[in-house]
Amino acid sequence: MKDPRFAETVILLVEYSRQGAVGLVINRTTGVRLSEVLPDIGKLKQRMDIVYFGGPVNTGQMFMLIRSVYKPEESIHIFKDIYASSSRKLLQKMIDNSAAGERFKIYAGYSGWAPQQLDMEVSRGDWHVLQADMASIFDKEPPEIWPELIRRVSAQWVMSTIRLSD
């Protein structure tokens, strides 16, 4: 990929349609604590949440990925127990009443593609496409995500090559 902002980048697609695609970079941190960005939310001072770089588009807007067994209000379902929202009210609720097993991560900005743009980039080999998994988003450290997913892609390629030659 020619754009250095996307070198070794992992993006979770949150929307994909004829109108284009939207995703969040899940393996880039900003190094900024959420309590610094939202100092008016007092309970954040007791937490260590950091802000992730969601992408180069509209970095002033915050997005939240949520892991929850129940669909939170003001959210959209992404896959399995993962939801997305940009609701400050929902963020406040999650901070005040975090239920067991619920987690969230905050992203500044997003990555976006015009209609057919992502398809063209994938066909050129700019991106590898894998099934999303919750562990990559919520359980792995950001520097571990890209190398792990590249190993998976390589293993899939080797397995498909073996099957083709049998």
Side-chain angles (χ1 to χ4, degrees):
M1 164 115 0
K2 293 176 183 168
D3 190 337
R5 293 176 297 179
F6 292 110
E8 296 186 2
T9 298
V10 178
I11 298 177
L12 173 69
L13 286 181
V14 295
E15 186 177 321
Y16 177 84
S17 69
R18 284 189 217 172
Q19 285 75 40
V22 174
L24 296 172
V25 175
I26 63 168
N27 68 325
R28 297 268 192 266
T29 65
T30 63
V32 176
R33 288 184 52 199
L34 186 56
S35 60
E36 294 174 47
V37 177
L38 301 171
D40 55 316
I41 300 179
K43 287 188 176 182
L44 280 176
K45 290 180 179 97
Q46 303 160 355
R47 300 174 56 110
M48 298 303 292
D49 301 288
I50 58 169
V51 177
Y52 290 80
F53 174 72
V57 181
N58 202 7
T59 56
Q61 185 174 5
M62 305 294 259
F63 296 91
M64 180 171 39
L65 287 179
I66 304 158
R67 184 178 191 173
S68 176
V69 293
Y70 301 105
K71 181 185 182 299
E73 293 179 25
E74 299 183 57
S75 71
I76 60 168
H77 183 248
I78 305 301
F79 74 100
K80 294 188 181 181
D81 292 343
I82 304 296
Y83 301 87
S85 178
S86 60
S87 166
R88 186 179 171 114
K89 179 181 167 187
L90 178 57
L91 172 61
Q92 181 73 55
K93 184 177 177 181
M94 295 210 53
I95 292 166
D96 290 342
N97 308 315
S98 59
E102 282 189 340
R103 295 177 60 192
F104 69 87
K105 286 190 174 183
I106 299 293
Y107 299 83
Y110 65 92
S111 299
W113 293 265
Q116 303 299 310
Q117 181 184 359
L118 181 57
D119 297 319
M120 186 172 31
E121 291 177 8
V122 169
S123 69
R124 277 195 320 240
D126 293 345
W127 297 102
H128 298 285
V129 179
L130 293 171
Q131 182 67 41
D133 67 278
M134 292 187 289
S136 292
I137 299 166
F138 284 99
D139 299 333
K140 295 193 183 309
E141 291 298 318
E144 300 171 355
I145 299 170
W146 187 81
E148 167 64 25
L149 296 179
I150 287 299
R151 279 191 289 277
R152 285 191 213 166
V153 166
S154 298
Q156 287 178 358
W157 182 81
V158 168
M159 292 306 294
S160 66
T161 303
I162 291 169
R163 277 183 247 154
L164 289 174
S165 61
D166 285 347

